[in-house]
Amino acid sequence: MVSVVYEAPASVQDAVALLSGAEITATVLAGGTDLIIQMQGLVNESRLLVDLKKIPAMMEATLDAEGLQLGPCMSCAELTSREDIKSVYPGLIEAAYLIGSTQIQGRASVGGNLCNSSPAADTVPALIVNNAQCVIVGPSGERSIQVEDFATGVGQNCLEKGELLSLIRIPLPAANTSDAYLRFIPRTEMDIAVAGAAVSITLDDDGICTAARVSIGAVAPTVLVVAKAAEVLLGTKVDVQALQAVAEAASKASSPITDRRGTDEYRRHVVGVLAKRAAAIAAERVRGIQS
Amino acid sequence: MSEAREYKYIGRRTIRPDGFDKVTGRANYGADLSLPGMIWGKILRSPYAHAVIKSIDSSKAEAHPDVMAVVTYQDYPAVSSGGFEPGDGPTDLCDLARNILADDKALYHGHAIAAIAARTEAAAEEALSLIDIDYEVLPPVMDVADAMQPGSPVLHEDLFTKGLAEQPEKASNIATRMELKKGDIEAGFAAAEVIIERDFYTPTVHQGYIEPHATTVRYDEDGQSMIWCSTQGHFDVRASTAKLLSMDLGKLKVIASEIGGGFGGKTTVYLEPVALMLSKKSGRPVKMVMTRDEVFRASGPGSATRSTVKIGAKKDGTITAMQAKLCFEAGAFKGSPMGPGCMTVFTPYDVENIYIEGYDVVVNKPKVAAYRAPGAPQAEFAAEMVINELADELNIDPIELRLQNAAKEGTQTVYGPKLKAVGLVECLEAAKNSPHYKQALAENQGRGLAAGFWFNIGGQSSVIINMNPDGTGTIVEGNPDIGGSRASMQLMAAEELGIDVSKLNPIVADTEHVPYSATTGGSRTTFATGMAVIEAAQDVVRQMKERAAAVWNVTVEQVDWSDGVAINTAGEDRLTAAEICQGADRTGGQISGRGNINARGAGPSFAVHLCDVEVDMETGKTAVVRYTAIQDAGKAIHPGYVEGQYQGGAVQGIGWALNEEYIYNEDGVMENAGFLDYRIPLASDLPMIDTIIVEVPNAFHPFGVRGVGETGIVPPLAAVATAVSDAIGVRMTNLPCSPPRVLKAIQDTA
Ligand SMILES: Cc1cc2nc3c(=O)[nH]c(=O)nc-3n(C[C@H](O)[C@H](O)[C@H](O)COP(=O)(O)OP(=O)(O)OC[C@H]3O[C@@H](n4cnc5c(N)ncnc54)[C@H](O)[C@@H]3O)c2cc1C
């Protein structure tokens, strides 16, 4: 028999206390769109579910001069309806908008997407190109880590027993910067990325790229940062040759597997196409800001 | 005859009688019945695709405090091999028995081995792990081509190929070889100026009905039993289950629940005979519900095929010879739809010289079941692809090439009858004149056109119309309504009786309340059950006229019936149907009409589909951008549901063409047994499917009806694959045209 103990603490401190004091397996519950499906496979187990949605700070998002303070449990539906956030991080919002369907987005959170630590998680490449940071709270206090260092393998991350993700902190992008995220699925929705790519680009007044970040998903055990793909953009006008170089660098950096969702060969090719197209869209967005 | 008649009800888009229950969630489906004292059944399934079952030890499971019964193959009375006809075509009883619970061999991953009934669903699930099975694992045979090789592992030591000139001495995986021919194939190719020959592959696909198989049963002490289940044919559930448990038909009542899709996949039994045996052993009602995973692994998908088609023609477009070799996977037991595949493959063409050979081959996959026009989509895909290539080669428009060779009234089919009036030419003309065909294509777009044929059979149907004392009526039929047929029955009864549809309630009765009716399959219901409705209505009218004649003291011949009113031709008297029913107690008792028929003939229906796609040349992803389905309905009783059938067929065919396939690993285990990775099209993947209803009346039906449910899935495979081929400049001969496969085709030619 599976037995579940459900707790919904009102503060992060109480949540940490519940998680670290638990004698049975304790799991954080955000929207549950990954967790509840994973729990269907359980037999003969007792579980403590610690629901963080009753903690106000976990459900809020503030955008100010510092950047975005994103409560990890805020639903994607709420996040994607925030025009203020969308105008600053359009790529992040389009990633959140791709998760599942309207119904799924009513529950699914960016924090859950990150903590589930799937290499195909759609919001993670977009968080990474925006230099997002995870704030982690546990029995021994608070620590911060870059999003690209958070996941350590498929379904694995650096959270220790008793720890939870309390905040996602995203710095305000530099002037004349924008981002984009694209994923490939065989259909139009309700699918898991075969490959994904996010790009953030800064252009100077002459349209020359002065900074860039490229991150790719679903093509390695964790979401990758592709420094080489960013490098080839620097000093260019993000023209056809530069984009081709981005595609090649992204493909080269990937180490995909073959499974029911695609062959390694196909994924390697497509991730390059996505990186190139995302770079072009991000650059176009900057040009839009500039004009 | 039908053309002459002016219809009052037929052709109207009435609200479906089952609509309110369905949209409010009130409708009861297979999993919705629970009974007092009911317990739960679960099935232990083979973890291997091919293995000898050396022993089954269920003692530990039986000792579990919550377990109330364990059932294996050994619990059933011995059955002897031999055909009987439940559902959609002949079934070997021995094979059926060994499919619902394996005998000494597990023949596919997911094959049922044993069943447990326990107090709770969770306990039943848990107790499955207490059954010990000793397997000897054998190499699986997963592809029809491999299975046909002389050195292949053999699934059944007692399977000897039928249809060969000499009876073989060695067992093999080829169950049957079949041949159909007409004219002189050699001479036909000798007369040809252009010959095209190509090989094709189609994968294993699933019907993808949304409602999983589910049943609740009760075996009573006196042997009187009840089955509630989701099925396309409850009389055939009764026949199969009664045979397997050695029961009289009269002891078994089967109630068909509302059905959440079937598409042919619910024309056989999986759970019902198992649940009933669990109930018999435990003395409790038993409920069983498949998971989606079980539905994919252990119900009956559609055959994978490998085929070769060769067509020869003169430069002017006259086709002189058509040849096909069609190899169908049957799954673990013989009985693929290879036969109908052979019969339909070239039927859209009036050609003198035809040679077709078909093979029915067993492999270590679940036994296939019917899937919408079983066998035709795979076979006609190959034929239509070659026809389209021929059109390109001859530089003739694909519609013109088809018009030039189209089957029409008088065409001798390769499988037997001469066609009566059919609507292929009319469909082709409609395609040619459609705005779709005239629209120019944009960059990276391609267009495909294909024709398709399906028989649409008749068979036995029984209907009773019970008139109520206030003049309303109940139409009692025996065909589960899977595509809106209750609305069609209501319309046809209203037309015959002259009573408004709102006063006629169509219901699907259980096996005790209406005589035998063949399964809802083969697109037969509106055609055959419709005729039974017409007959029952005429019976009611005859009785009403008798009653009126008695009241007026005239002969029946002196009474006319018009628009629901009896008219005394010898005077001024009128009696409405309601008045006659109100007075029935004084004129001889209540009125009820019967139509128990075996409908002769069929309703051959042709379709032509047009498809435009746009291909992302860098990823190989295809988007269908425009689609038009054109089909001959004979007479559209309810045009809205006819259009729905065309659209549904097109959508399932688009899925088959673009993404759907069973993906197996090297151990023969399906890797995508869920709707996340078995990709049926979503609403957002599709444009509006435009429809054109062509109406060339069917000579076999009083209103001219042809079955419409199946033909629509036949053309899309070739229409879509041709459109993709047109967009990328490479001919796609293997399905599905999934993004990796399309990209590879693009890259290989670059
Ligand atoms: C039908 C469907 C479609 C989907 N489509 C997509 C898709 O397109 N793209 C995609 O990326 N994903 C998809 N998903 C997966 C899922 O919806 C997302 O990963 C979602 O973002 C998870 O968020 P959640 O709030 O529901 O997480 P939950 O399920 O609540 O949690 C996920 C995991 O993270 C842990 N966790 C959550 N929050 C915290 C926290 N603050 N601190 C520590 N641990 C935490 C949980 O313990 C759990 O292990 C889909 C899921 C479904 C069911």
Side-chain angles (χ1 to χ4, degrees):
Chain A
M1 235 196 30
V2 180
S3 75
V4 174
V5 181
Y6 173 85
E7 296 281 359
S11 73
V12 170
Q13 285 66 32
D14 289 353
V16 169
L18 282 163
L19 289 169
S20 44
E23 276 157 24
I24 51 177
T25 311
T27 312
V28 166
L29 172 71
T33 59
D34 278 316
L35 187 62
I36 289 176
I37 289 168
Q38 288 155 9
M39 285 180 61
Q40 283 172 358
L42 296 185
V43 257
N44 268 342
E45 225 201 280
S46 302
R47 270 290 173 109
L48 168 66
L49 290 188
V50 181
D51 185 349
L52 303 184
K53 295 196 293 295
K54 296 279 167 355
I55 305 172
M58 302 295 288
M59 305 294 285
E60 290 164 6
T62 358
L63 183 65
D64 57 24
E66 300 275 290
L68 177 64
Q69 269 65 246
L70 175 62
C73 299
M74 175 186 257
S75 74
C76 288
E78 223 182 315
L79 176 64
T80 55
S81 68
R82 287 280 295 269
E83 288 301 325
D84 57 334
I85 300 175
K86 188 173 173 186
S87 66
V88 182
Y89 312 96
L92 174 61
I93 297 305
E94 69 197 354
Y97 195 70
L98 286 175
I99 292 183
S101 60
T102 304
Q103 294 93 324
I104 295 292
Q105 284 165 26
R107 292 251 119 192
S109 65
V110 173
N113 199 224
L114 182 56
C115 293
N116 188 55
S117 302
S118 156
D122 281 312
T123 64
V124 177
L127 288 170
I128 289 176
V129 298
N130 282 294
N131 290 303
Q133 250 187 357
C134 309
V135 178
I136 296 168
V137 178
S140 47
E142 192 181 291
R143 64 188 175 107
S144 297
I145 184 171
Q146 289 297 117
V147 169
E148 56 263 43
D149 299 325
F150 181 77
T152 53
V154 179
Q156 290 168 335
N157 57 47
C158 68
L159 289 178
E160 304 284 342
K161 182 176 156 81
E163 284 190 328
L164 58 84
L165 174 67
S166 64
L167 185 68
I168 300 167
R169 197 179 278 148
I170 312 176
L172 211 58
N176 296 324
T177 299
S178 197
D179 65 344
Y181 175 74
L182 290 175
R183 73 167 179 191
F184 183 84
I185 56 172
R187 292 181 295 190
T188 46
E189 60 179 337
M190 294 300 283
D191 219 325
I192 304 292
V194 169
V199 176
S200 159
I201 279 185
T202 310
L203 302 181
D204 68 13
D205 291 343
D206 300 325
I208 308 282
C209 176
T210 56
R213 269 172 82 77
V214 176
S215 175
I216 54 178
V219 288
T222 60
V223 176
L224 300 178
V225 180
V226 190
K228 179 79 206 216
E231 231 167 77
V232 297
L233 284 168
L234 298 179
T236 74
K237 287 199 147 178
V238 195
D239 51 19
V240 180
Q241 285 92 328
L243 291 172
Q244 200 44 47
V246 171
E248 279 161 26
S251 292
K252 204 150 169 251
S254 69
S255 57
I257 55 162
T258 292
D259 68 6
R260 60 194 179 278
R261 299 194 179 128
T263 60
D264 55 351
E265 199 186 337
Y266 183 72
R267 287 187 146 125
R268 187 171 296 125
H269 170 82
V270 166
V271 80
V273 174
L274 296 174
K276 164 177 99 171
R277 290 179 179 178
I281 295 168
E284 203 45 50
R285 284 180 178 155
V286 181
R287 292 180 201 120
I289 303 170
Q290 288 172 329
S291 63
Chain B
M1 181 60 223
S2 33
E3 301 101 304
R5 191 160 163 182
E6 282 267 331
Y7 295 119
K8 182 167 179 195
Y9 296 100
I10 285 173
R12 273 167 52 177
R13 295 171 185 254
T14 48
I15 290 173
R16 63 193 300 162
D18 48 318
F20 285 103
D21 280 354
K22 284 180 176 162
V23 299
T24 55
R26 217 163 33 217
N28 289 312
Y29 290 88
D32 289 335
L33 181 71
S34 293
L35 295 173
M38 186 187 84
I39 59 174
W40 285 81
K42 283 276 170 197
I43 288 185
L44 180 66
R45 298 185 178 279
S46 172
Y48 304 110
H50 195 190
V52 173
I53 301 167
K54 293 165 78 179
S55 66
I56 301 177
D57 178 359
S58 59
S59 53
K60 273 185 273 174
E62 278 162 57
H64 187 291
D66 288 332
V67 170
M68 302 194 69
V70 178
V71 163
T72 67
Y73 179 83
Q74 301 306 329
D75 288 289
Y76 291 82
V79 287
S80 52
S81 190
F84 81 122
E85 281 260 1
D88 233 30
T91 300
D92 184 299
L93 192 60
C94 216
D95 289 348
L96 184 66
R98 292 184 296 169
N99 193 37
I100 61 151
L101 281 170
D103 178 9
D104 52 357
K105 246 185 144 184
L107 292 159
Y108 50 95
H109 179 260
H111 194 167
I113 310 290
I116 286 185
R119 278 178 228 281
T120 65
E121 197 178 2
E125 183 80 52
E126 191 179 292
L128 291 178
S129 62
L130 300 176
I131 300 180
D132 288 324
I133 299 170
D134 190 9
Y135 290 104
E136 178 191 332
V137 181
L138 302 172
V141 185
M142 301 306 294
D143 185 286
V144 63
D146 298 338
M148 290 172 80
Q149 291 297 320
S152 166
V154 168
L155 272 70
H156 303 281
E157 289 303 335
D158 57 352
L159 187 66
F160 298 92
T161 312
K162 284 200 181 126
L164 298 179
E166 274 172 48
Q167 176 68 26
E169 281 168 15
K170 268 184 67 185
S172 84
N173 295 320
I174 304 172
T176 307
R177 178 184 183 278
M178 163 174 165
E179 206 177 83
L180 287 176
K181 52 189 162 185
K182 175 180 160 186
D184 179 345
I185 193 71
E186 305 293 331
F189 282 116
E193 290 165 313
V194 178
I195 295 175
I196 293 175
E197 179 173 0
R198 292 275 174 263
D199 297 329
F200 298 92
Y201 171 76
T202 68
T204 301
V205 292
H206 199 272
Q207 300 87 348
Y209 36 83
I210 297 304
E211 183 200 19
H213 298 265
T215 188
T216 297
V217 309
R218 197 185 61 215
Y219 190 98
D220 290 353
E221 293 77 1
D222 57 1
Q224 203 66 40
S225 302
M226 184 281 291
I227 293 176
W228 160 278
C229 62
S230 175
T231 178
Q232 291 174 241
H234 45 317
F235 288 92
D236 296 320
V237 169
R238 183 180 67 169
S240 299
T241 308
K243 281 260 190 209
L244 291 172
L245 276 86
S246 196
M247 297 167 71
D248 291 341
L249 293 180
K251 289 274 184 199
L252 187 53
K253 161 155 110 178
V254 183
I255 311 168
S257 70
E258 279 293 348
I259 180 166
F263 310 106
K266 290 180 183 161
T267 55
T268 184
V269 289
Y270 302 104
L271 299 176
E272 295 82 359
V274 177
L276 200 59
M277 187 58 86
L278 286 168
S279 177
K280 184 178 179 182
K281 282 186 94 174
S282 65
R284 296 286 203 97
V286 172
K287 180 167 181 164
M288 297 183 85
V289 180
M290 278 198 199
T291 62
R292 179 64 56 192
D293 187 88
E294 289 179 290
V295 172
F296 274 111
R297 293 183 201 283
S299 67
S303 296
T305 61
R306 291 195 181 275
S307 47
T308 305
V309 164
K310 181 176 169 187
I311 299 179
K314 299 238 185 240
K315 290 224 166 83
D316 69 0
T318 310
I319 297 174
T320 57
M322 302 181 104
Q323 183 175 329
K325 178 181 176 187
L326 307 173
C327 305
F328 274 71
E329 289 180 5
F333 299 96
K334 63 185 176 283
S336 71
M338 169 274 279
C342 291
M343 289 156 80
T344 54
V345 59
F346 297 134
T347 302
Y349 302 94
D350 188 344
V351 170
E352 241 165 77
N353 308 299
I354 294 179
Y355 179 82
I356 302 158
E357 77 182 309
Y359 292 88
D360 178 33
V361 183
V362 295
V363 294
N364 291 113
K365 295 183 182 178
K367 165 71 169 67
V368 302
Y371 179 14
R372 214 168 186 162
Q378 298 98 318
E380 295 186 59
F381 160 64
E384 293 298 298
M385 291 303 284
V386 176
I387 292 283
N388 285 340
E389 186 172 349
L390 189 66
D392 285 352
E393 188 70 29
L394 296 170
N395 205 13
I396 300 178
D397 177 274
I399 295 183
E400 293 304 334
L401 180 64
R402 287 176 170 86
L403 278 170
Q404 207 176 329
N405 297 282
K408 47 192 151 320
E409 185 161 7
T411 296
Q412 174 62 53
T413 62
V414 72
Y415 61 87
K418 271 201 172 124
L419 293 176
K420 297 206 186 295
V422 290
L424 176 58
V425 167
E426 289 77 357
C427 288
L428 287 164
E429 296 287 355
K432 193 161 83 177
N433 297 326
S434 69
H436 184 164
Y437 204 59
K438 291 172 186 150
Q439 185 187 308
L441 292 169
E443 204 188 341
N444 295 330
Q445 292 188 347
R447 177 164 295 158
L449 174 139
F453 161 74
W454 186 248
F455 317 93
N456 309 306
I457 53 164
Q460 295 186 72
S461 282
S462 308
V463 169
I464 304 166
I465 298 180
N466 291 325
M467 297 308 297
N468 300 310
D470 64 354
T472 60
T474 307
I475 306 160
V476 184
E477 57 159 323
N479 280 99
D481 175 359
I482 193 163
S485 58
R486 268 169 291 189
S488 300
M489 300 308 136
Q490 199 183 34
L491 285 162
M492 285 187 270
E495 193 70 49
E496 266 324 298
L497 293 168
I499 295 177
D500 192 78
V501 285
S502 64
K503 299 205 181 306
L504 297 168
N505 182 34
I507 67 151
V508 180
D510 63 54
T511 54
E512 285 179 345
H513 290 85
V514 67
Y516 177 83
S517 295
T519 291
T520 298
S523 299
R524 60 176 295 281
T525 304
T526 305
F527 172 64
T529 309
M531 276 199 267
V533 165
I534 294 166
E535 238 184 77
Q538 288 168 346
D539 189 15
V540 168
V541 169
R542 186 183 51 75
Q543 294 173 46
M544 298 250 208
K545 284 162 73 176
E546 283 171 7
R547 303 301 177 89
V551 171
W552 296 324
N553 210 4
V554 298
T555 66
V556 178
E557 289 72 34
Q558 288 173 300
V559 180
D560 262 359
W561 184 263
S562 171
D563 217 5
V565 180
I567 300 160
N568 183 358
T569 56
E572 295 289 296
D573 309 306
R574 298 275 188 281
L575 274 175
T576 65
E579 286 163 346
I580 295 170
C581 290
Q582 278 153 13
D585 57 338
R586 296 184 302 275
T587 57
Q590 297 301 318
I591 296 169
S592 144
R594 290 184 173 272
N596 301 339
I597 66 159
N598 188 355
R600 280 181 44 257
S605 169
F606 289 89
V608 173
H609 286 197
L610 269 171
C611 172
D612 293 355
V613 302
E614 187 167 315
V615 178
D616 181 335
M617 301 299 274
E618 287 186 316
T619 65
K621 181 169 166 172
T622 299
V624 176
V625 294
R626 188 164 187 181
Y627 202 100
T628 306
I630 304 155
Q631 187 178 322
D632 177 15
K635 175 70 202 169
I637 300 297
H638 189 302
Y641 300 144
V642 169
E643 288 161 0
Q645 290 296 325
Y646 292 6
Q647 292 169 324
V651 169
Q652 284 189 309
I654 290 169
W656 199 334
L658 288 182
N659 280 308
E660 293 182 38
E661 62 179 322
Y662 272 44
I663 301 171
Y664 283 98
N665 70 14
E666 63 270 26
D667 297 324
V669 178
M670 186 190 184
E671 294 204 308
N672 59 332
F675 282 135
L676 182 56
D677 291 306
Y678 182 89
R679 297 190 177 86
I680 63 175
L682 309 168
S684 59
D685 294 336
L686 298 161
M688 181 64 186
I689 308 290
D690 293 323
T691 55
I692 300 174
I693 300 177
V694 166
E695 292 184 318
V696 175
N698 175 15
F700 290 106
H701 189 279
F703 298 143
V705 166
R706 299 174 193 277
V708 298
E710 292 168 288
T711 308
I713 199 174
V714 182
L717 279 60
V720 174
T722 300
V724 173
S725 305
D726 185 35
I728 68 173
V730 190
R731 285 192 195 276
M732 299 299 294
T733 53
N734 290 5
L735 296 184
C737 296
S738 57
R741 185 170 275 149
V742 172
L743 185 69
K744 187 147 195 328
I746 295 168
Q747 288 171 338
D748 285 352
T749 50

